[in-house]
Amino acid sequence: MLHRYAKVGRMYMLSRAEPAPPPLWDAQPICMGVDFWSYSGIERIEDGIGGFSDYAQTWVLVPARETLEGYHGSEHL
């Protein structure tokens, strides 16, 4: 155990039926712009028998934009 602080990114999708992705451990911002943010970190996936695997991941987050038809975000990526 390293006994240190770790930044954890979590994604919440209140209007969607699918489950949220696993948390992003040691989340570090890579690039932030007006239209998107990108973070890099580690996703830890449990194998169901007490172990886990770590996968390096990059998240690209697009903020939802309110339009006349509702909220939209990533259709231009």
Side-chain angles (χ1 to χ4, degrees):
M1 188 166 282
L2 297 175
H3 299 289
R4 64 183 177 90
Y5 290 102
K7 297 175 187 164
V8 179
R10 297 185 192 277
M11 195 178 317
Y12 297 100
M13 295 177 285
L14 300 177
S15 63
R16 299 243 173 152
E18 60 257 3
L24 189 68
W25 294 91
D26 266 345
Q28 299 293 319
I30 301 300
C31 183
M32 292 185 164
V34 175
D35 295 330
F36 71 95
W37 307 306
S38 60
Y39 288 86
S40 180
I42 303 292
E43 282 185 1
R44 178 167 283 175
I45 307 297
E46 294 183 21
D47 62 8
I49 56 174
F52 58 86
S53 296
D54 289 339
Y55 296 94
Q57 295 291 332
T58 299
W59 287 0
V60 176
L61 306 171
V62 178
R65 306 253 188 254
E66 187 174 7
T67 65
L68 295 175
E69 293 84 29
Y71 286 95
H72 300 282
S74 61
E75 65 273 359
H76 66 277
L77 286 181

